[in-house]
Amino acid sequence: MFNLSTLLEDGARSAPEKECLVFGDTRLNYAITDMIANQVANLLVSRGIEPGDRVALASPNLPYFPFVYFGALKAGAVVVPLNVLLTPREIAYHLEDSGAKALLSFTGSPELPLGDRAFEAFGQVDTCEFFIDMPAAAGATESTIEGAETIWAALNGQPGTFETVQRDGDDTAVIIYTSGTTGRPKGAELSHTNLMMNAVVSSGLVNPHPDGRDVSLVVLPLFHIFGQTVMLNAVLYRHGTMVLLPRFEGGQALELMQKEGVTGFAGVPTMYWGLLNSARSAEAGEYDLEQIADNVVDAVSGGSALPAQLAEDFTKLFGVGIKEGYGLSETSPVASFNNPNTGAKTGSIGRPVWGVEMKLIDPEWNEVVKEGEEDPVGEIAVRGHLIMKGYHNRPETNAEVIKNGWFRTGDVARRDDDGFYFIIDRSKDMIIRGGFNVYPREVEEVLMTHEAISLAAVVGVPHETHGEEIKAFVILKEGAETTAEDLTAFARERLAAYKYPRQIELRDELPMTSTGKILKRELREG
């Protein structure tokens, strides 16, 4: 019997006075953080949440996230983290598909009214029984959302102790939604053991600071599996401190790194680009870059390929090499790691982490082996403690991607003689924009609902700061008239901010094979 909430509870027992969460002027130790999570657990149980029920959580990197995340786990529930940029239509889909019984959402701001969107979606889903607003004003007992109650009002009178519901290690702890080639997001069910093992393994890859400090700047979204495992869970396992930053901005990140003595940072390549640009453009004396560099001993990158020049420039300025990793939501996520401490290769995703196997396969699941002088090339398959239980309610899809414990990733790579893997293609046509996964089919389906569109094809094109940008090629219906600007506005209303195409090109025809399949490679290559 085991529950992932042990990560927080162990810190509360072993280091109760140690700082756990830092957000602005708010500083919470492990004991207080665990106590509030206990109150959340009592609240959920009092509202009818039972072991195995799904609890949806929509929050940026604020103390609310760990409060509810671990509170739900303590109650034996399954956490369903939601991207805070989703539209009401998308939130409703996630609630319905997961069967969420409750939704707890941060209010947001006038510029990003997350609570309004979440409450609208809640009203569209009959199976979701209650909604709780997590207000921007700490302690507020009245919600700005008409008809909603705040978490602080709901927690009033709830005990600060709770007997954690024990679960089997293979029970689902979290459902992480990841888009698929079918265009509809799929929920990857990750077990308590999946997430605990990946947190332990990830924690072991971190460089300790000489004086024993362990302070991480948490800017990777915690609703994303990268931030959830490598930051939230791994840092708690080490009894470290998390400095929360809800939205990345290079200057603000540097300011916090200096103020809080940050020793560890994890981000997508565009965040490292942002840190460098802010450092280079800063006025003399604005940041003590030497002090920041002395503190930072660990830097991790993932989400998309890290340009070699960017890595080199960052190392020159901050004096620390960036470690690249590879993984997916379905792998909890860390599957391989490129660690400068034990040997690294530029452009590589490294070698499998402890307890994990990787191999290259062909479309029929046959292993690809080296023949002659050329490195073997094939689709990456992974096996080990990290593999998801499967996609929620997708038995047919599970049978396609999991076989004898091996998960086929859809990523094509080569492997050299030293066992290092190098990604060379993404066979699923996935677009990675600023570290977020975007699948063309979902965008295409939304575009195709426009009355003027006859056919749409979406691809990723190179972008200087985001890695890839989303571009749509559109054929209009005969006699229809519209503009690229109008189509962009149409998509922006129906898709999360990171998903809608910024570039739309109207065409009379699209390149196709003899069987009618659109040749997306030709579109990408121009």
Side-chain angles (χ1 to χ4, degrees):
M1 304 295 285
F2 173 71
N3 192 306
L4 185 65
S5 63
T6 297
L7 289 167
L8 175 59
E9 294 165 356
D10 183 68
R13 288 190 295 267
S14 305
E17 300 303 318
K18 177 78 180 292
E19 278 193 346
C20 178
L21 302 174
V22 175
F23 175 68
D25 294 329
T26 300
R27 312 184 82 89
L28 303 176
N29 62 28
Y30 272 82
I32 293 175
T33 303
D34 188 56
M35 181 192 73
I36 298 175
N38 284 334
Q39 289 184 296
V40 172
N42 280 304
L43 167 64
L44 294 176
V45 171
S46 73
R47 297 294 175 91
I49 293 297
E50 298 179 351
D53 285 343
R54 272 75 71 193
V55 173
L57 166 60
S59 173
N61 292 1
L62 299 169
Y64 285 130
F65 193 99
F67 292 164
V68 175
Y69 183 88
F70 289 105
L73 289 173
K74 284 170 178 281
V78 176
V79 184
V80 184
L82 302 178
N83 190 313
V84 299
L85 299 178
L86 296 177
T87 65
R89 179 184 68 85
E90 293 168 319
I91 295 173
Y93 167 78
H94 286 71
L95 296 178
E96 290 175 342
D97 189 76
S98 67
K101 194 172 180 178
L103 170 59
L104 289 83
S105 173
F106 175 59
T107 300
S109 64
E111 298 78 23
L112 189 66
L114 172 59
D116 291 338
R117 286 184 277 120
F119 194 59
E120 179 182 339
F122 165 73
Q124 299 171 10
V125 182
D126 294 336
T127 54
C128 200
E129 298 179 3
F130 63 95
F131 174 93
I132 293 178
D133 169 37
M134 301 185 293
T141 57
E142 293 188 7
S143 175
T144 57
I145 303 171
E146 186 176 353
E149 65 175 329
T150 74
I151 191 170
W152 300 115
L155 289 180
N156 186 35
Q158 294 293 344
T161 59
F162 183 83
E163 185 174 347
T164 296
V165 176
Q166 292 301 297
R167 306 290 282 159
D168 287 334
D170 193 46
D171 284 337
T172 303
V174 175
I175 298 178
I176 291 286
Y177 273 84
T178 176
S179 296
T181 52
T182 60
R184 302 306 297 272
K186 301 187 298 295
E189 294 197 37
L190 302 176
S191 71
H192 290 265
T193 297
N194 285 154
L195 293 168
M196 184 64 182
M197 287 297 297
N198 215 250
V200 172
V201 170
S202 298
S203 182
L205 300 171
V206 170
N207 289 331
H209 195 277
D211 65 11
R213 288 184 298 115
D214 190 345
V215 182
S216 294
L217 180 61
V218 183
V219 67
L220 282 169
L222 293 177
F223 56 75
H224 190 282
I225 191 61
F226 185 9
Q228 204 172 118
T229 290
V230 177
M231 288 283 98
L232 178 65
N233 291 337
V235 173
L236 289 181
Y237 174 73
R238 303 192 305 269
H239 301 163
T241 299
M242 291 177 283
V243 179
L244 302 175
L245 181 58
R247 184 176 180 180
F248 178 80
E249 192 280 316
Q252 190 176 4
L254 288 173
E255 183 179 334
L256 283 173
M257 292 169 80
Q258 179 174 326
K259 176 184 176 183
E260 301 294 341
V262 167
T263 62
F265 180 85
V268 296
T270 52
M271 292 179 180
Y272 286 97
W273 180 85
L275 289 174
L276 278 171
N277 278 358
S278 294
R280 288 166 173 167
S281 62
E283 296 181 5
E286 186 174 356
Y287 309 113
D288 189 339
L289 298 180
E290 185 174 345
Q291 177 190 332
I292 294 173
D294 286 343
N295 285 322
V296 177
V297 294
D298 206 71
V300 175
S301 178
S304 60
L306 178 70
Q309 188 61 54
L310 175 58
E312 182 180 333
D313 292 345
F314 184 87
T315 299
K316 284 181 179 179
L317 187 59
F318 292 96
V320 58
I322 301 176
K323 306 172 182 177
E324 276 195 88
Y326 167 78
L328 306 90
S329 297
E330 295 89 338
T331 62
S332 303
V334 184
S336 67
F337 207 65
N338 204 41
N339 192 337
N341 297 334
T342 57
K345 294 192 178 184
T346 302
S348 169
I349 59 170
R351 295 179 283 201
V353 297
W354 184 90
V356 173
E357 299 174 80
M358 290 175 67
K359 66 180 180 180
L360 301 176
I361 61 174
D362 65 18
E364 285 71 45
W365 287 89
N366 300 309
E367 184 170 3
V368 178
V369 297
K370 184 167 184 174
E371 295 181 2
E373 296 299 319
E374 297 295 324
D375 289 340
V377 173
E379 181 181 351
I380 296 176
V382 185
R383 182 168 68 177
H385 51 71
L386 73 175
I387 301 302
M388 66 173 180
K389 294 173 60 178
Y391 295 118
H392 182 63
N393 288 337
R394 300 290 199 282
E396 293 182 359
T397 303
N398 292 334
E400 294 173 0
V401 300
I402 300 176
K403 184 177 181 180
N404 297 327
W406 289 95
F407 170 74
R408 61 185 318 152
T409 65
D411 292 328
V412 178
R414 68 177 178 85
R415 183 184 61 243
D416 69 12
D417 292 339
D418 296 321
F420 285 83
Y421 286 78
F422 298 78
I423 297 287
I424 59 176
D425 193 16
R426 296 187 178 274
S427 62
K428 296 178 182 177
D429 283 333
M430 181 176 70
I431 301 166
I432 301 182
R433 183 185 187 276
F436 288 105
N437 295 351
V438 180
Y439 284 79
R441 180 68 180 274
E442 183 182 8
V443 182
E444 290 162 0
E445 287 186 352
V446 169
L447 289 173
M448 290 291 286
T449 64
H450 192 283
E451 60 183 7
I453 292 180
S454 172
L455 186 64
V458 173
V459 300
V461 294
H463 189 276
E464 182 179 357
T465 60
H466 296 307
E468 288 183 289
E469 188 54 272
I470 303 160
K471 182 172 183 178
F473 295 85
V474 170
I475 297 177
L476 300 182
K477 295 178 181 177
E478 187 173 353
E481 293 184 2
T482 188
T483 65
E485 291 76 14
D486 287 341
L487 294 178
T488 297
F490 175 86
R492 183 169 53 214
E493 292 176 358
R494 292 159 176 80
L495 291 164
Y498 65 92
K499 291 182 182 178
Y500 75 87
R502 266 66 170 182
Q503 301 177 30
I504 296 183
E505 182 176 329
L506 304 182
R507 286 197 172 188
D508 294 328
E509 59 182 16
L510 297 175
M512 298 185 184
T513 66
S514 58
T515 58
K517 183 177 181 180
I518 297 173
L519 294 169
K520 290 191 173 182
R521 180 175 295 179
E522 289 191 14
L523 294 177
R524 283 192 291 266
E525 294 173 353

